[in-house]
Amino acid sequence: MPRSQLAPGVEVVAVPGRGLAVRTADGEFLTVRTGGADEESLLGRLAGAPTTAGTGPHADPDPEVDRIVRAFASAGHLTDEQPPSAWPTGLRDVRLLGDRELTEPLAAYLRAAGAEPGPGEPGDLAAGRPAAVVWCLNGPVPDGLWDAADRLPGQRVAWLRCHREGLQAYVEPLAADPGDVTSAHVRARRLAATPAHRELAAYWAGPRTGGAPVELTPPAASLVAALLADDLTRWATGAPERGPLPARRRLRRVDLRNLTVTEHPVLPVPDVAAAPVTAR
């Protein structure tokens, strides 16, 4: 059996009087039925020790150890030991547009991950053939502002964005290929999901009367930027996705009052065929 170890966030603990338990990546505790397997050998395997033949502290003549390790693997609690992938050279050119409160921390995260972020031009988003364009707004999205950017996936340029509405920020799914979720799709889905669709459309269109201004604190800006940087890094490096929803079908809502994040599924909106012309 190849060398493998517990996946990140998965841990095994010895419970007095009850044997072994696994704490899953979701924070659940599950009892491990060892069936008489040698616990020292089992724990060594789960910690990443290579399988060896014969005798010794990590030898596995016990088929019960192999059975339990296979059960851990089938449940998704194991991972092959692999170094993290570097950001590919051909995908390092990332253009950032929008408000500095968000683009500055985002640029710092992207540089640390291996990308080369730089300013973009709203009038020609695909100039120079960047790998990705990210647009961050510290406010609602004006009608039509992102229409041209929604066409970037069709030009093989990844498209990622975020914006703020009052005390909520929205991190939209990354669109990298034709058919992915665009900003227009997100707006259409949000309007369809709320009984206050007229009010939401009016809010987007403006004008809006507000009171005290909303302060986007550095921790809030850093959280939003970190979510964007993580999505873009996983796309560029091919790192496995985490969580119940795929990144390209996930809208995230950040409550800026307490920095909690909720995820909502979102699907592309299919093109509507033109109504047939009826002969008179």
Side-chain angles (χ1 to χ4, degrees):
M1 184 175 291
R3 177 173 178 170
S4 58
Q5 60 185 332
L6 292 171
V10 180
E11 298 168 290
V12 173
V13 61
V15 183
R18 296 183 64 87
L20 300 180
V22 56
R23 186 185 189 276
T24 72
D26 293 328
E28 295 182 280
F29 283 97
L30 305 174
T31 300
V32 180
R33 304 295 185 189
T34 58
D38 181 75
E39 290 189 3
E40 181 182 356
S41 179
L42 173 61
L43 293 176
R45 285 278 298 279
L46 296 177
T51 303
T52 58
T55 61
H58 300 304
D60 289 328
D62 186 351
E64 282 298 303
V65 172
D66 283 342
R67 180 188 67 81
I68 297 170
V69 171
R70 287 195 298 269
F72 269 75
S74 64
H77 300 323
L78 295 186
T79 183
D80 292 331
E81 186 177 20
Q82 296 178 346
S85 301
W87 198 299
T89 303
L91 300 178
R92 290 178 181 171
D93 183 4
V94 179
R95 308 290 173 82
L96 306 182
L97 298 92
D99 295 311
R100 293 177 57 187
E101 300 96 325
L102 291 160
T103 58
E104 287 184 354
L106 175 57
Y109 285 132
L110 291 176
R111 281 192 291 268
E116 298 174 355
E121 293 295 333
D124 193 357
L125 296 168
R129 305 303 302 169
V133 170
V134 188
W135 204 325
C136 303
L137 292 179
N138 186 18
V141 184
D143 285 336
L145 179 65
W146 285 349
D147 287 354
D150 275 349
R151 296 192 286 272
L152 287 171
Q155 304 173 56
R156 300 299 176 182
V157 177
W159 164 226
L160 186 59
R161 61 267 173 206
C162 72
H163 67 282
R164 179 183 61 79
E165 297 176 9
L167 288 171
Q168 292 76 41
Y170 291 87
V171 179
E172 299 194 8
L174 182 141
D177 295 308
D180 280 346
V181 177
T182 66
S183 68
H185 295 160
V186 171
R187 289 167 82 93
R189 292 296 187 186
R190 288 185 60 195
L191 288 173
T194 176
H197 56 90
R198 296 180 182 85
E199 291 81 357
L200 181 58
Y203 174 80
W204 287 338
R208 295 171 293 273
T209 300
V214 174
E215 179 185 0
L216 188 63
T217 64
S222 294
L223 173 59
V224 174
L227 294 174
L228 293 166
D230 185 70
D231 280 352
L232 203 58
T233 301
R234 291 183 185 278
W235 163 76
T237 63
E241 296 183 7
R242 307 291 184 189
L245 297 175
R248 296 194 192 183
R249 299 293 186 267
R250 176 186 61 199
L251 173 67
R252 286 182 289 196
R253 180 180 181 269
V254 182
D255 191 324
L256 301 176
R257 296 167 295 186
N258 53 19
L259 302 188
T260 55
V261 181
T262 55
E263 297 185 354
H264 307 273
V266 60
L267 296 173
V269 177
D271 293 334
V272 178
V277 177
T278 303
R280 295 186 180 182

